[in-house]
Amino acid sequence: MINFSQVTFEDNDTRDPMNFSYKTKWMITLVACAFTGIVAAASASFSMGYQSMMQDLNCTQFQATVGLSMWSIGFGTVPLITSSFTEEFGRLNIYIVSSFGFMLTEIMIALSPNIQTVMLGRLLGGAFGSTGATLVGGSVADVWKQHERGQPMAFFALVAVVGTGLGPVIAGVIEANPRLGWRWIQWIHVMFTGAYFISVVLLMKETRATIVLTRLARKKRRETGDDRYQAKAEMEKQKLSTLIKISCTRPIYLLLTEPIVQGFSLWIGFTWGVVFALIESVSAEFQAVYGFNIQDTGFIFSTLIVGSFIGYLANTYQEKLYQKRQEARLYLPCVAAFFLPIGIFIYAWTARPEVHWIAPAIGLTIFMSGGFVIYMVSSAIAGQSLCRNLAASIFPLFTTQMFARLTYRWGLTLFGCVGAALVPIPWVLFFYGSRIRARSKVSRKILEEEELQDNMEK
């Protein structure tokens, strides 16, 4: 039997990602989050180019909407497979491959000769975009201690939701110029993604501790010629096929067995579905009701940006309360539960010619303030990404027909009623969450791991 010598980090070892300098930690966080913003902007801006795309490719609006939905299908399903790749290849390599692949898909869309190629490009874009964007939570956990992660994760959510609003704002300006149109929306994304790819190569570091230790062990073996030097990850290494199986089945298992995961996944799924329904319909409604042109309707999406900042600032205050009371993390979701239907109802019932356009814009802002909080709270829950993106792919496909039959007012009122029915979710967790978690084997295991990590940090 070989007696292995385990390679570990020394005390205060600067090679340990947890011991990176404060400046380095924030640089890694900013670079990681930047990809999330670029991906979110590309996802949402696509619908602003419908008019020129339909003329150029001779396609229907429904076909263009399928292109919008294909993105979310790739974004939601592919991480079930690729999330395990970091165990084998590390996070840095995934960031590099994902950003480069994402840039190629944007080029593919920009050069598409027909709508079918656009659909395929959107599917692949969502796939490459997801493998990078879904790493951000892991990158944050790699370099920040548990009690330090509140602000970095809030910033991640802010960039994701702001990108969803900023993309259509810029795309509206581009689409309004007859010399540019939908293809130039994609070329702008190519430029930003190319710049991001360079920044990843120059600024990003490997943050997964198991990968860093594995490389240190390999280096030690080369230097000494002694094969007994092994990292713990090498001694306990599982086959990639096993890791893929686990990453595919775990979210689905949690969705089927964990009430907390089910509740929040339903909540964020509905919220993100409505967001993409609005991305699909806001332009058409403001053009029909207020006579806005495509550039003006693009600026309406700035309500998503304003709402996100309101939610972010509220979270900053909540983080201060969290340092005093652990249950404070649920204060904002309980308030946001009301913001969601209230914002939708205001938007639904004020969007008419005799009411100034600022009124429905305020409704969208209130809705997005609540939506930001829900996105941020749910982002740490396994399984929510699948529900969120499947809903985002399905909602735009039926909302056009729904609004045509029910009108915007009553279709949005229906959404508001569903949002009102979901209000109890965070309140149930606030009052009964400890009892629910006590009955869950998974929750008990997570709590034990967190307590162990807290003790190690102390």
Side-chain angles (χ1 to χ4, degrees):
M1 180 180 291
I2 301 176
N3 293 321
F4 291 110
S5 179
Q6 184 173 328
V7 176
T8 60
F9 292 121
E10 301 173 358
D11 292 338
N12 300 317
D13 195 332
T14 56
R15 296 172 297 182
D16 183 352
M18 277 290 182
N19 293 327
F20 285 168
S21 67
Y22 186 78
K23 179 180 177 181
T24 300
K25 289 182 178 183
W26 268 112
M27 181 187 70
I28 290 171
T29 302
L30 292 175
V31 173
C33 289
F35 192 30
T36 304
I38 291 171
V39 170
S43 170
S45 63
F46 178 77
S47 65
M48 300 303 293
Y50 279 1
Q51 294 178 5
S52 59
M53 182 189 298
M54 290 187 291
Q55 294 175 0
D56 186 18
L57 300 182
N58 193 29
C59 65
T60 65
Q61 182 171 337
F62 181 77
Q63 288 176 313
T65 303
V66 171
L68 177 70
S69 296
M70 292 297 284
W71 177 283
S72 296
I73 293 174
F75 200 100
T77 57
V78 170
L80 295 176
I81 299 173
T82 58
S83 60
S84 58
F85 287 2
T86 58
E87 299 276 355
E88 185 75 22
F89 308 109
R91 300 198 197 279
L92 177 59
N93 289 329
I94 302 299
Y95 277 116
I96 292 173
V97 172
S98 296
S99 57
F100 186 73
F102 182 74
M103 181 179 68
L104 293 181
T105 64
E106 291 300 310
I107 295 175
M108 176 182 177
I109 298 171
L111 298 175
S112 294
N114 51 56
I115 190 62
Q116 290 77 18
T117 307
V118 172
M119 293 178 185
L120 179 60
R122 290 283 292 178
L123 178 67
L124 294 175
F128 280 107
S130 70
T131 55
T134 53
L135 291 182
V136 177
S139 298
V140 169
D142 287 341
V143 299
W144 298 99
K145 295 179 180 179
Q146 187 174 343
H147 66 278
E148 299 173 326
R149 294 172 192 165
Q151 282 302 323
M153 286 304 295
F155 183 76
F156 158 60
L158 177 68
V159 172
V161 183
V162 166
T164 304
L166 186 60
V169 172
I170 298 174
V173 176
I174 297 172
E175 176 71 5
N177 189 327
R179 293 175 296 178
L180 299 177
W182 73 277
R183 293 187 189 274
W184 267 101
I185 295 175
Q186 311 308 317
W187 285 121
I188 294 297
H189 292 314
V190 172
M191 296 175 192
F192 274 96
T193 309
Y196 175 78
F197 172 74
I198 296 172
S199 71
V200 168
V201 174
L202 296 178
L203 301 176
M204 199 65 168
K205 292 185 176 183
E206 179 57 60
T207 61
R208 192 169 184 87
T210 54
I211 296 296
V212 176
L213 287 172
T214 298
R215 292 172 181 172
L216 290 175
R218 290 173 182 168
K219 182 180 179 181
K220 193 77 171 178
R221 291 196 294 269
R222 287 196 303 267
E223 292 174 347
T224 63
D226 190 343
D227 291 336
R228 291 179 300 172
Y229 289 104
Q230 298 279 331
K232 184 178 180 181
E234 292 178 296
M235 293 185 279
E236 301 176 353
K237 187 175 183 179
Q238 293 178 299
K239 293 182 179 179
L240 182 59
S241 59
T242 302
L243 296 174
I244 293 175
K245 181 180 178 181
I246 293 172
S247 66
C248 285
T249 56
R250 180 181 293 165
I252 298 174
Y253 170 78
L254 292 174
L255 278 172
L256 295 176
T257 61
E258 293 295 316
I260 293 176
V261 175
Q262 291 167 352
F264 271 99
S265 296
L266 175 64
W267 203 23
I268 186 61
F270 169 75
T271 303
W272 218 239
V274 173
V275 169
F276 270 72
L278 294 176
I279 289 172
E280 167 74 12
S281 64
V282 162
S283 292
E285 181 166 12
F286 274 83
Q287 287 174 5
V289 176
Y290 295 106
F292 280 19
N293 59 35
I294 191 66
Q295 180 171 314
D296 295 333
T297 59
F299 284 118
I300 290 295
F301 284 95
S302 61
T303 56
L304 275 66
I305 301 173
V306 175
S308 301
F309 273 100
I310 293 173
Y312 178 77
L313 293 174
N315 177 77
T316 302
Y317 176 71
Q318 180 181 254
E319 280 300 308
K320 295 179 181 179
L321 294 178
Y322 175 69
Q323 302 302 323
K324 301 176 182 178
R325 294 185 291 273
Q326 294 291 311
E327 70 275 10
R329 279 267 168 87
L330 286 172
Y331 289 174
L332 268 185
C334 289
V335 176
F338 293 99
F339 275 35
L340 209 67
I342 289 173
I344 296 176
F345 284 136
I346 292 175
Y347 175 48
W349 287 91
T350 60
R352 53 183 191 266
E354 64 270 21
V355 179
H356 195 277
W357 62 264
I358 197 66
I362 290 173
L364 288 172
T365 303
I366 294 173
F367 165 77
M368 207 60 235
S369 298
F372 171 84
V373 173
I374 298 169
Y375 179 90
M376 185 182 64
V377 172
S378 301
S379 61
I381 299 176
Q384 63 80 28
S385 179
L386 178 62
C387 290
R388 173 165 55 87
N389 287 286
L390 287 180
S393 66
I394 294 171
F395 271 55
L397 295 177
F398 70 79
T399 50
T400 301
Q401 294 86 342
M402 184 184 75
F403 290 144
R405 293 185 179 184
L406 298 180
T407 72
Y408 286 108
R409 179 179 300 176
W410 288 107
L412 290 166
T413 298
L414 178 61
F415 282 153
C417 291
V418 175
L422 298 178
V423 166
I425 289 177
W427 290 92
V428 170
L429 184 58
F430 182 81
F431 288 108
Y432 303 104
S434 58
R435 299 181 192 177
I436 297 173
R437 288 191 294 269
R439 298 176 183 175
S440 168
K441 294 181 181 179
V442 175
S443 294
R444 288 199 300 269
K445 184 177 180 181
I446 292 174
L447 288 173
E448 291 172 0
E449 291 176 351
E450 288 180 350
E451 290 177 1
L452 177 62
Q453 186 175 357
D454 286 341
N455 292 331
M456 291 175 64
E457 290 176 358
K458 292 176 181 178

